[in-house]
Amino acid sequence: MRTLFPALTADGPVYLDSAATTQKPLPVIDAVTDYHRHHTANSGRGTYSWATTLTTAVEQIRVDTAHFLGAHAHEVVFTGGATAALNAVALGWGLTALTDGDEILYSPRDHASNVHPWLRLRDTLAHFGRHIRLIPYRTTALGEADLTDIAAKIGPRTRLLTLSHLHHVYGALSTPQQSAELLPERALLCLDCTQSAGHLPIDVRALGADFAVLAAHKMFGSPGTGVLFCHERIHDQLGPFLPGGNSAVHVQDSALVPDHMPHRMEGGTHNLPGILALGAALRMLRDIGTDRIADHNRILTRRLVDGMRDLPGLRILPGPAHASDGAGYGIVSFTLDAITATDLGFVLAELGLLVRTGAHCVPTTPHPAPGESDSVRVSTHAYTTTEEIDRFLDCLTTIATEVR
């Protein structure tokens, strides 16, 4: 399988930054180049064969995406990425559905893409005299969403709970289905699945999601493509997102009236090479099996944690390293005394080990938790080998000993 990833050569660097973006397999690369090289056209527009064939392909990928998520095809919206998908929830749902005094529960330690849209929504609504409250909830010592704190903060005006299924820094898996059971009837659950999609089997109905977002580039696909799942039970609450050409709306008495889903949320020209690449990525994930990928990442994570645990001056951030159940999801973040994460990342890169450093897109807070503003993140995927983990651990051991 590894031979399908042309960037991963035997004499090249060790790529340990899959949580930022995954490497691309040949079928995905071919899907992008074939679109540009052969029969370039637009979908949903022309009646000639190039266009109609492409339209059929896009809708088949929508069906495949729905199957991947345990959803229906009309619940799958293609977006410009996970960030665009979360903003679609804020603008396509929140802008019209929320009223004065409503509340949104969120985690300030989630990715900025699952924080900033809600801040912007609050400020936008305030301009029109509707004041909503953003209520932060805590994470546990393991890096999971704190269900006890969430339960204590849910009230009769709670309209949305948004959380990360798999945290992008801590590598901790939350249990959204338990959170969904706590919510009042009118409240919705929005899941950021950008790290779990392609790493774990996902069933949005079993998770209790009303909204769920994916980023194609984190699951073998190409950048600039995302997926927004919208449960059919809330379609009547959704206004058009990016209204314009190709969006399913019509004008009645000089007003926009939304038509059928999912095209109501898909104004403008699709990222067609990206959607075709997503289709190829989904086929590859199906052939490998996300359950097998999950098992592989668990083995790599435990090997990584066990090798890091006793290194002098090294502190592992919350996550599976602090759990007793042997879990692991392919993400481990840490700090090392006497050297900044940025400098450590530079040294590791010079040794041929590519990792992520910095704040990892966690919004700046007045009192950040230790390691929150500057840490090293190691992340794996199906193409990562145990030999590469051992090479990383050997280098890290040498560095930790020397800086001590």
Side-chain angles (χ1 to χ4, degrees):
M1 182 205 66
R2 188 175 162 100
T3 61
L4 291 175
F5 294 85
L8 302 177
T9 59
D11 57 350
V14 175
Y15 186 74
L16 296 172
D17 195 19
S18 291
T21 195
T22 53
Q23 293 301 303
K24 312 309 173 194
L26 288 172
V28 167
I29 297 171
D30 290 342
V32 174
T33 57
D34 285 351
Y35 169 78
H36 291 296
R37 190 182 299 273
H38 307 290
H39 301 165
T40 299
N42 212 338
S43 66
R45 305 292 206 279
T47 56
Y48 52 94
S49 62
W50 290 8
T52 56
T53 299
L54 186 58
T55 300
T56 300
V58 168
E59 292 311 311
Q60 181 58 53
I61 294 168
R62 194 188 304 278
V63 171
D64 294 343
T65 305
H67 181 74
F68 178 78
L69 292 172
H72 301 304
H74 66 280
E75 298 174 315
V76 172
V77 176
F78 293 128
T79 70
T83 300
L86 287 161
N87 276 276
V89 176
L91 299 178
W93 172 77
L95 202 61
T96 56
L98 296 179
T99 59
D100 195 56
D102 285 343
E103 299 172 349
I104 294 176
L105 272 61
Y106 78 107
S107 170
R109 290 194 166 90
D110 277 355
H111 194 284
S113 293
N114 199 21
V115 175
H116 291 170
W118 317 118
L119 298 174
R120 178 62 174 165
L121 174 62
R122 179 197 60 190
D123 295 345
T124 301
L125 289 174
H127 282 295
F128 301 99
R130 280 182 284 164
H131 300 279
I132 66 170
R133 296 181 62 210
L134 301 185
I135 301 178
Y137 60 82
R138 296 191 298 264
T139 54
T140 69
L142 299 181
E144 303 165 355
D146 190 329
L147 293 182
T148 302
D149 191 47
I150 289 173
K153 291 175 176 176
I154 290 174
R157 298 305 301 270
T158 301
R159 293 298 309 279
L160 184 74
L161 167 63
T162 182
L163 56 80
S164 293
H165 187 206
L166 179 62
H167 198 274
H168 70 293
V169 179
Y170 303 141
L173 187 71
S174 294
T175 51
Q177 59 271 36
Q178 295 182 31
S179 302
E181 294 170 358
L182 301 172
L183 293 173
E185 184 177 354
R186 293 178 66 241
L188 306 182
L189 175 63
C190 178
L191 294 184
D192 179 358
C193 296
T194 52
Q195 296 298 339
S196 55
H199 290 76
L200 302 166
I202 291 179
D203 185 327
V204 288
R205 278 179 163 71
L207 293 172
D210 296 288
F211 300 109
V213 305
L214 318 180
H217 74 100
K218 296 180 187 288
M219 43 191 288
F220 297 158
S222 61
T225 305
V227 173
L228 168 62
F229 160 76
C230 302
H231 198 292
E232 60 186 1
R233 66 186 172 218
I234 58 169
H235 284 184
D236 61 350
Q237 301 180 35
L238 301 176
F241 176 60
L242 296 178
N246 205 43
S247 58
V249 296
H250 67 271
V251 179
Q252 180 176 320
D253 297 329
S254 300
L256 284 180
V257 179
D259 287 335
H260 59 281
M261 286 285 290
H263 301 287
R264 180 190 310 172
M265 306 287 283
E266 291 183 354
T269 300
H270 287 115
N271 178 357
L272 295 169
I275 293 174
L276 295 171
L278 172 62
L282 290 172
R283 289 190 290 273
M284 187 161 179
L285 289 169
R286 179 195 62 201
D287 292 343
I288 300 171
T290 50
D291 52 348
R292 294 175 65 194
I293 294 174
D295 288 341
H296 182 65
N297 275 323
R298 180 185 58 79
I299 291 169
L300 296 179
T301 304
R302 301 319 303 180
R303 192 182 191 95
L304 183 63
V305 166
D306 290 343
M308 294 168 61
R309 199 181 298 278
D310 296 326
L311 293 184
L314 190 144
R315 189 182 72 85
I316 305 176
L317 269 58
H322 304 279
S324 59
D325 57 2
Y329 305 100
I331 296 176
V332 178
S333 298
F334 68 95
T335 61
L336 185 62
D337 290 347
I339 185 171
T340 67
T342 301
D343 288 343
L344 179 55
F346 176 79
V347 173
L348 289 169
E350 290 295 298
L351 297 171
L353 301 160
L354 310 183
V355 299
R356 173 73 181 269
T357 63
H360 314 292
C361 295
V362 174
T364 302
T365 58
H367 305 289
E372 187 175 89
S373 59
D374 194 26
S375 63
V376 176
R377 182 182 68 189
V378 180
S379 52
T380 64
H381 213 298
Y383 41 66
T384 311
T385 67
T386 54
E387 291 79 10
E388 289 177 326
I389 295 298
D390 291 343
R391 178 179 164 186
F392 171 79
L393 289 171
D394 287 344
C395 290
L396 185 62
T397 300
T398 300
I399 296 171
T401 303
E402 290 181 354
V403 298
R404 186 187 184 190

